[in-house]
Amino acid sequence: QVQLVQSGAEVKKPGASVKVSCKASGYTFTDYYIHWVRRAPGQGLEWMGRINPNSGATNYAQNFQGRVTMTRDTSISTAYLELSSLRSDDAAVYFCARPSGVIAATGHNWFDPWGQGTPVTVSS
Amino acid sequence: DIVMTQSPDSLAVSLGERATINCKSSQSVLYSSNNKNYLAWYQQKPGQPPKLLIYWASTRESGVPDRFSGSGSGTDFTLTISSLQAEDVAVYYCQQYYGIITFGQGTRLEIK
């Protein structure tokens, strides 16, 4: 079955960077974008950006420009999210998610499945 | 970016009663060329990722109980749970995919 499995919980100090992985299985990794979404405590879902695993092209939300880097390794069907210069308000659960439609099928951008989530704690 | 505003922020409903959650977008998410509303609904329970319930504003995802329904068009949308069950306690989100993806702030649904 289609599945996204993320790396485990992280604890980081303010100013550090964190890198979260998302391993895909059950489908052709390069056929679908991977998106990243986070949920901070007491907050709603926040879209961070997406990567085209085929080309490596990325689109980042304006709120994260300059601090976020999304990459992928097609040999192991894994996408990565790296967030730098961490602040206390970056403490959140980070999710990867796959849209319903393939890259060529524009507009089918509802998400299923999602990864299980990676909690990131930022504390000195 | 399109701003999605849900109401209410929280809601308490008795078991077996109807629950209604509203979602309003700052601009229309109806794409005129295909007459589809680019709007999805998700359910999130503690410690779990969001679960897709509805897409195209009113199309129920396979396996989702038929007590869940979505309606609306343009800028105003509604998620209705016709007869609340205990397992429906969760936070519900709307999401637009017409433009840069944005979510509503969430509505917490509890049992009265």
Side-chain angles (χ1 to χ4, degrees), chain A residues 35 37 39 43-47 61-62 95 106-112 114-117, chain B residues 38 40 42 44 47-50 52 55-56 61 91 93 95 97 100-101 103-105 108:
Chain A
H35 294 243
V37 176
R39 184 183 179 189
Q43 304 293 313
L45 298 171
E46 184 177 21
W47 183 77
Q62 192 158 2
F95 296 96
T106 58
H108 290 64
N109 282 322
W110 58 88
F111 299 128
D112 183 47
W114 296 64
Q116 82 276 19
Chain B
Y38 284 46
Y42 299 87
Q44 188 175 29
Q48 297 183 18
L52 176 68
Y55 56 93
W56 295 137
E61 171 71 342
V91 179
Y93 294 94
Q95 174 222 337
Y97 45 97
I100 293 172
I101 288 164
F103 293 88
Q105 80 278 16
R108 186 174 301 277

Side-chain angles (χ1 to χ4, degrees), chain A residues 19-67:
Chain A
K19 191 170 185 176
V20 178
S21 68
C22 172
K23 182 172 177 60
S25 61
Y27 71 98
T28 302
F29 179 62
T30 50
D31 282 351
Y32 294 80
Y33 285 102
I34 291 287
H35 294 243
W36 291 91
V37 176
R38 75 178 186 181
R39 184 183 179 189
Q43 304 293 313
L45 298 171
E46 184 177 21
W47 183 77
M48 301 180 69
R50 70 178 187 181
I51 183 167
N52 178 333
N54 187 43
S55 66
T58 54
N59 302 99
Y60 300 141
Q62 192 158 2
N63 285 353
F64 299 98
Q65 290 277 359
R67 287 206 304 139

Side-chain angles (χ1 to χ4, degrees), chain B residues 60-109:
Chain B
R60 196 181 305 113
E61 171 71 342
S62 175
V64 172
D66 61 6
R67 64 180 181 272
F68 291 91
S69 63
S71 62
S73 185
T75 61
D76 292 280
F77 301 91
T78 300
L79 175 70
T80 302
I81 307 172
S82 60
S83 176
L84 189 71
Q85 305 299 303
E87 63 264 32
D88 300 334
V89 170
V91 179
Y92 291 83
Y93 294 94
C94 60
Q95 174 222 337
Q96 66 78 21
Y97 45 97
Y98 183 93
I100 293 172
I101 288 164
T102 52
F103 293 88
Q105 80 278 16
T107 295
R108 186 174 301 277
L109 177 58

